[in-house]
Amino acid sequence: MDANDEAALGLHQIEGFLHWEANRHEAQCRARDFAWELPGLTHDQRLMVEEAYAHKEMENARQGTQHIAERIGQVEAQYTARHRRFVRDTAVAMGVITMALIGLCIAVILGTAAGTA
């Protein structure tokens, strides 16, 4: 792996980390808003609800991300298979066309030679 690839990978990892941290922060803010609107809870109970809510939000985000990654893998596999079939079929078609053109050239040459003889 050259330096450009390593730099791109590093930037991708940093971007992923920052995105995850932003999601975590948003989940904590939503959890705090939810917990502090519940009447009749003690401070400790609100903190417990906030923590559980934020944890569930992050678990949902992780599952969503995992589902998207799996789907991307499936689509990539489908695309790869389709591309291989396309390349194979194109190569076969080009071979048939090439053979037909060679046959046509031979027929023209033999027809021209027979006409001059």
Side-chain angles (χ1 to χ4, degrees):
M1 182 180 295
D2 68 356
N4 288 336
D5 291 338
E6 287 182 22
L9 178 61
L11 287 175
H12 180 69
Q13 290 173 340
I14 291 170
E15 182 183 41
F17 172 78
L18 292 174
H19 180 71
W20 186 257
E21 284 298 308
N23 282 341
R24 188 181 60 77
H25 178 72
E26 289 175 22
Q28 287 176 331
C29 288
R30 284 190 303 271
R32 187 178 318 110
D33 292 344
F34 174 76
W36 291 101
E37 290 179 7
L38 296 174
L41 295 180
T42 66
H43 179 74
D44 290 341
Q45 289 172 329
R46 280 193 173 96
L47 290 177
M48 288 174 49
V49 168
E50 182 180 332
E51 183 180 329
Y53 187 98
H55 177 74
K56 187 63 176 171
E57 286 272 319
M58 292 306 294
E59 181 61 25
N60 288 343
R62 187 193 62 73
Q63 288 176 352
T65 302
Q66 184 176 359
H67 174 73
I68 290 168
E70 289 170 359
R71 183 64 184 134
I72 288 171
Q74 292 170 352
V75 169
E76 186 177 26
Q78 291 170 351
Y79 171 79
T80 300
R82 187 178 305 152
H83 184 262
R84 284 186 184 137
R85 281 193 304 273
F86 172 77
V87 169
R88 183 195 63 223
D89 293 349
T90 302
V92 168
M94 293 304 294
V96 169
I97 291 170
T98 301
M99 295 307 288
L101 287 175
I102 290 172
L104 179 64
C105 289
I106 290 172
V108 168
I109 291 169
L110 293 177
T112 304
T116 58

